[in-house]
Amino acid sequence: MASPRPVPLQWELQIMSTAPTTGPHAAVSGLQWGDEGKGKVVDLLTRRYDYIVRYNGGANAGHSVVIGDQRYALHLIPSGILHEGKINVIGNGVVVDPAQLISEMDTLAQRGIDIGDNLRLSTRAHLVLPYHKLQDALMEAAVSASRGEHKAIGTTGRGIGPAYADKMHRSTGLRAGDLLDPERFADKLKHVVALKNAMLGATADLAGAEFEPIDADELTEAYLGYGEVLASHICDTQHLLHTGMADGKKLLFEGANGCMLDIDHGTYPYVTSSNCGAVGIYAGSGVPGGTVGRTVGIMKAYTTRVGAGPFATELDDEVGQRIRDRGNEYGTTTGRPRRCGWLDLAVVKYTAAVNGVTELSLMLLDVLAGFDTLKVCVGYELDGKAVEGFPSSSVEYERVTPVYEQVPGFADEVTDCEDYDHLPGAAKQYVELIEQHVGLPVSIVSVGPARNQTMIREAHAPVSA
Ligand code: GDP
Ligand code: IMO
Ligand code: MG
């Protein structure tokens, strides 16, 4: 038998240097249905890292960062962009609407944020085109027309699902790198547009909507124009990250959406179309599995959800409205009012396990001030029996009854509190109840959107990356 070919030395060195370290790299992951405050935490952690990496989702994400009297809403650009000297990477797993990206770049530049070599876009990232947004809207309308409004997903309308579907279809997918080869791009787009026009026309009929066919030439011209603007940012980000890791650079992965919206592990079909949990990091960036040592799970002190789908602790009453008002719970991307409810620790325990979370960051605790009592869901019952694990079917999940623990509320406002020990006793009890039920330390407690409204409990962070 022939002996195996020796591995060239430079390959061996490269493999060794990018091998999982489970050490210096970290991830920020949403543990509910999105909008947990990931942007704020990424901003807080960024100074310790060199590369801030988005690996999933697209412009469905809306991450808000407040710095002094300035509020920034980021959709595609990693939240690290607000810090000087950091490399911000839009990885291969993101679906990118180039018009939205350029508008975000322009808005930031107008506000004095430097956009140059510090922003990199993967050649492999798939593009969102206008027909994806149309398809998104028409599919929702067609489903509503045939099956009733509650069967629609309630998407953000950003074309996310159709763009990921085309990625999987392969013959209709277009990537950022394709923009750099105008002839091939124009040729492929012409064929895709013909197909899309036929498909969208039929979907519009079902939805009872008007449809104006898309002009392939106009679209090609617009996209090649975006390609020219983005060309200096487009690169092989997988190689960039591998080289960075070999040079000792530290990576911070910024999850978009939330684990309950994960295509595999969320409340399917009322989810988004990517792996938004930490499970998506490796496929969505090209770094080896196990690279991340520190995974910070971001959770609100209560629960919110935007769009359709089951939500066991939802409060469709004045308590829910009070949380919405105090927490300003309106979508960063679509402005839709968010559905609000009590904290659901069955959700957090499940998503923390799926994500391999090492510590928790508790956000918006200030919103709960002033309630006499608070309710926390610690498990579910179905048909009178305790539910084990997390229901894998939305139909089943619709039917669960939350099991609540009632705990004392805290009357005093906590927004000015700078020291964990100075929090009211009931607020500390709330934090400790979370730690006990989830089995993880709460290392960050946030009591307002600003940077200084944050208590970092360094001693509670088990991994000091
Ligand atoms: P993301 O999508 O997970 O980044 O979260 P969003 O930015 O969409 O939504 C979180 C909202 O809560 C933003 O408006 C933040 O400025 C705000 N926020 C973050 N932390 C706190 C906090 O501790 N208290 C309050 N009141 N607001 C917060
Ligand atoms: P961030 O990153 C909250 C929800 C939508 C809808 C479902 C599918 O800000 O936490 P899509 O447009 O992705 O096909 O919509 O997912 N959704 C989010 N909800 N925050 C987000 O992002 C979301 N991204 C998607 O509301 O229910
Ligand atoms: Mg958001």
Side-chain angles (χ1 to χ4, degrees):
M1 207 168 84
S3 62
R5 273 194 7 212
V7 176
L9 183 63
Q10 67 272 29
W11 284 21
E12 203 166 45
L13 287 176
Q14 188 169 358
I15 290 165
M16 277 171 60
S17 57
T18 59
T21 59
T22 57
H25 312 294
V28 163
S29 227
L31 299 183
Q32 293 157 323
W33 279 280
D35 304 323
E36 299 91 348
K38 299 176 289 294
K40 171 170 172 170
V41 177
V42 170
D43 174 62
L44 287 172
L45 296 179
T46 289
R47 67 185 169 81
R48 299 187 188 195
Y49 298 89
D50 304 295
Y51 292 69
I52 318 305
V53 188
R54 272 281 304 273
Y55 58 88
N56 80 296
N60 51 355
H63 297 178
S64 325
V65 179
V66 174
I67 303 177
D69 60 0
Q70 298 290 308
R71 173 177 280 274
Y72 300 88
L74 299 154
H75 300 280
L76 280 165
I77 300 183
S79 303
I81 198 76
L82 304 172
H83 293 246
E84 272 179 38
K86 305 294 173 184
I87 305 288
N88 295 273
V89 175
I90 302 176
N92 58 278
V94 179
V95 287
V96 178
D97 176 344
Q100 162 71 33
L101 176 58
I102 293 167
S103 130
E104 218 170 306
M105 288 161 61
D106 289 347
T107 307
L108 288 171
Q110 280 158 20
R111 294 177 73 180
I113 308 295
D114 178 40
I115 308 279
D117 279 358
N118 59 342
L119 179 64
R120 310 291 177 89
L121 167 61
S122 171
T123 46
R124 296 179 173 92
H126 275 251
L127 296 174
V128 175
L129 287 106
Y131 49 72
H132 291 132
K133 290 192 249 181
L134 260 173
Q135 194 177 339
D136 197 351
L138 288 173
M139 293 272 287
E140 288 274 87
V143 168
S144 298
S146 68
R147 302 188 64 204
E149 206 179 316
H150 66 288
K151 294 288 182 196
I153 307 295
T155 71
T156 60
R158 297 297 188 269
I160 306 299
Y164 277 115
D166 276 342
K167 172 176 176 173
M168 295 305 165
H169 279 311
R170 295 150 293 159
S171 55
T172 46
L174 285 158
R175 311 198 294 182
D178 296 332
L179 293 171
L180 306 179
D181 185 345
E183 242 174 71
R184 213 163 43 87
F185 182 85
D187 182 56
K188 184 160 180 183
L189 188 57
K190 196 166 81 190
H191 293 282
V192 177
V193 166
L195 218 120
K196 291 286 174 184
N197 277 338
M199 202 253 277
L200 290 172
T203 315
D205 282 348
L206 284 174
E210 294 287 320
F211 168 65
E212 185 77 34
I214 292 160
D215 183 304
D217 293 334
E218 269 176 32
L219 192 57
T220 304
E221 200 186 323
Y223 268 63
L224 291 180
Y226 302 145
E228 281 172 24
V229 178
L230 294 174
S232 61
H233 301 279
I234 299 175
C235 70
D236 181 349
T237 55
Q238 184 205 80
H239 181 65
L240 178 80
L241 295 177
H242 283 215
T243 313
M245 287 166 77
D247 288 347
K249 302 290 186 206
K250 289 163 72 178
L251 319 182
L252 176 64
F253 293 92
E254 175 174 355
N257 328 127
C259 190
M260 290 305 284
L261 293 169
D262 185 286
I263 185 78
D264 287 291
H265 306 288
T267 43
Y268 192 89
Y270 301 101
V271 292
T272 188
S273 305
S274 68
N275 283 121
C276 21
V279 293
I281 290 174
Y282 306 109
S285 69
V287 301
T291 294
V292 171
R294 178 183 187 189
T295 302
V296 186
I298 317 299
M299 58 179 287
K300 282 179 171 163
Y302 47 93
T303 314
T304 62
R305 173 163 207 170
V306 196
F311 178 176
T313 61
E314 182 165 16
L315 291 164
D316 204 4
D317 59 10
E318 71 280 3
V319 178
Q321 187 57 41
R322 177 166 161 188
I323 293 176
R324 187 174 304 112
D325 291 342
R326 281 189 59 102
N328 191 24
E329 292 295 356
Y330 295 89
T332 310
T333 299
T334 59
R336 287 180 290 179
R338 295 174 183 149
R339 298 159 64 193
C340 298
W342 293 122
L343 177 58
D344 187 337
L345 289 181
V347 160
V348 173
K349 202 169 172 173
Y350 165 67
T351 51
V354 171
N355 280 281
V357 166
T358 55
E359 68 200 85
L360 300 168
S361 182
L362 180 66
M363 314 301 288
L364 295 110
L365 184 62
D366 51 302
V367 173
L368 294 185
F371 282 103
D372 291 339
T373 50
L374 300 167
K375 284 165 89 177
V376 178
C377 167
V378 293
Y380 305 129
E381 279 181 358
L382 185 60
D383 300 329
K385 287 198 202 107
V387 173
E388 289 209 16
F390 200 91
S392 58
S393 138
S394 275
V395 177
E396 193 181 320
Y397 189 43
E398 288 275 6
R399 297 180 47 240
V400 301
T401 313
V403 177
Y404 285 111
E405 259 187 36
Q406 193 146 317
V407 294
F410 43 99
D412 297 336
E413 294 296 336
V414 294
T415 43
D416 294 329
C417 194
E418 289 176 2
D419 184 338
Y420 182 78
D421 290 333
H422 297 162
L423 277 175
K428 281 191 280 195
Q429 272 173 33
Y430 195 75
V431 175
E432 283 145 30
L433 176 96
I434 294 168
E435 291 184 318
Q436 276 162 21
H437 271 284
V438 184
L440 286 168
V442 173
S443 61
I444 299 174
V445 179
S446 173
V447 289
R451 281 174 171 170
N452 62 358
Q453 291 175 301
T454 320
M455 289 163 255
I456 312 272
R457 301 168 79 210
E458 207 69 63
H460 291 248
V463 186
S464 61

